[in-house]
Amino acid sequence: MSWLSEFVDVYDKNEKNLGITSYRIYHPKSGEESKKAYQMLPVSHIFLNCTLQIDLNLKLPTPKITMKP
């Protein structure tokens, strides 16, 4: 069995975990615990971390949503 076939088998066995965010806990030498999020994504997708700010102005007659990267 090739490595690609093995990859497909492992992916198929874990298909129920698609899109579920899990956290890996690290204990660096400093002694502080840190968490890193990870997900199993569909094939040909990537996981990106980005900061997003959403400002809501509810005082306007029609609420306006503005998003800033």
Side-chain angles (χ1 to χ4, degrees):
M1 185 182 286
S2 72
W3 67 270
L4 190 54
S5 297
E6 290 180 30
F7 174 78
V8 170
D9 287 344
V10 170
Y11 194 88
D12 289 342
K13 289 178 184 176
N14 291 288
E15 191 172 15
K16 66 184 178 291
N17 297 323
L18 279 174
I20 297 173
T21 301
S22 300
Y23 295 91
R24 186 169 288 128
I25 299 173
Y26 294 96
H27 299 281
K29 293 180 181 179
S30 65
E32 295 179 17
E33 183 178 282
S34 63
K35 293 181 181 180
K36 174 98 173 148
Y38 66 95
Q39 291 180 340
M40 184 176 152
L41 300 175
V43 174
S44 300
H45 285 72
I46 60 172
F47 186 77
L48 297 174
N49 289 325
C50 62
T51 304
L52 180 66
Q53 176 183 334
I54 300 174
D55 297 322
L56 300 175
N57 187 345
L58 301 176
K59 294 179 182 178
L60 295 174
T62 303
K64 182 179 178 185
I65 299 173
T66 57
M67 297 190 322
K68 302 173 187 172

